[in-house]
Amino acid sequence: MSTLEAHVDPVPALLAMTYRALGDQFHDRLRQIGLEPLRPAHGYVFRFLKERRATTVDIGAHLGVTKQAAAKIVAELDEWGYVLREPHPTDRRAQYVALTTKGRDYLKLADNLWADLEGEMAEAIGAATLDTVKQGLTAYLRHVHGDDQPGLRPVW
């Protein structure tokens, strides 16, 4: 009997460990592809910018980090060509940050990698079980947040 089978952790711990295992596999695959040393914080910025331009202050608020930390993340993504900075139309001190074509291509790659990992999870636990888990988690989020879902945000 494995350590996991000997003691069943509470659901929050299992969710956290599963999230970590999936994230580790995802980043291992990014390294195998040879992409820049992207971290989870970068991924949250990609998702946040998918449908919008935003200032560094907006990005920091979304990530729950300081403007300085957000600026460092934006600078890295800019250096690697994933985002571009453009002047803010009304605030001369601010800049808008937007995804480049490379950034949008990365999101497509990430979506494919996540789909592969989800497929592997379905193989491990069964497609029907995975569907049940997804339905249950969706129902719980609806219970907590109603139809106004907060979206994907980091858990630091």
Side-chain angles (χ1 to χ4, degrees):
M1 182 180 293
S2 75
T3 304
L4 256 178
E5 293 168 329
H7 171 75
V8 177
D9 289 303
V11 170
L14 290 170
L15 289 171
M17 289 185 292
T18 301
Y19 176 76
R20 178 62 187 255
L22 286 166
D24 288 349
Q25 289 180 64
F26 178 84
H27 285 92
D28 285 347
R29 290 175 191 196
L30 288 179
R31 276 189 292 283
Q32 291 168 5
I33 294 168
L35 292 180
E36 294 79 8
L38 295 165
R39 299 182 311 278
H42 295 118
Y44 288 110
V45 172
F46 281 107
R47 295 285 172 205
F48 186 64
L49 295 176
K50 182 178 181 181
E51 302 294 330
R52 68 179 64 84
R53 296 181 308 165
T55 65
T56 302
V57 171
D58 297 332
I59 292 168
H62 176 72
L63 295 177
V65 299
T66 65
K67 177 185 172 191
Q68 292 78 10
K72 181 178 184 237
I73 293 167
V74 168
E76 290 171 333
L77 292 173
D78 183 36
E79 179 182 331
W80 295 327
Y82 290 109
V83 300
L84 59 91
R85 297 183 247 191
E86 46 194 45
H88 191 283
T90 59
D91 184 348
R92 296 175 71 195
R93 296 169 298 154
Q95 294 179 323
Y96 272 126
V97 180
L99 290 176
T100 61
T101 299
K102 182 179 179 181
R104 294 197 179 284
D105 289 345
Y106 168 80
L107 271 175
K108 291 175 191 167
L109 170 67
D111 288 344
N112 289 332
L113 289 175
W114 285 119
D116 290 347
L117 290 168
E118 188 173 312
E120 291 171 21
M121 182 182 276
E123 288 175 18
I125 68 173
T129 300
L130 182 57
D131 284 343
T132 300
V133 168
K134 288 168 72 172
Q135 289 171 10
L137 293 174
T138 300
Y140 179 73
L141 289 171
R142 190 169 289 115
H143 169 76
V144 172
H145 297 292
D147 289 331
D148 188 28
Q149 296 299 317
L152 184 63
R153 296 177 59 118
V155 179
W156 305 117

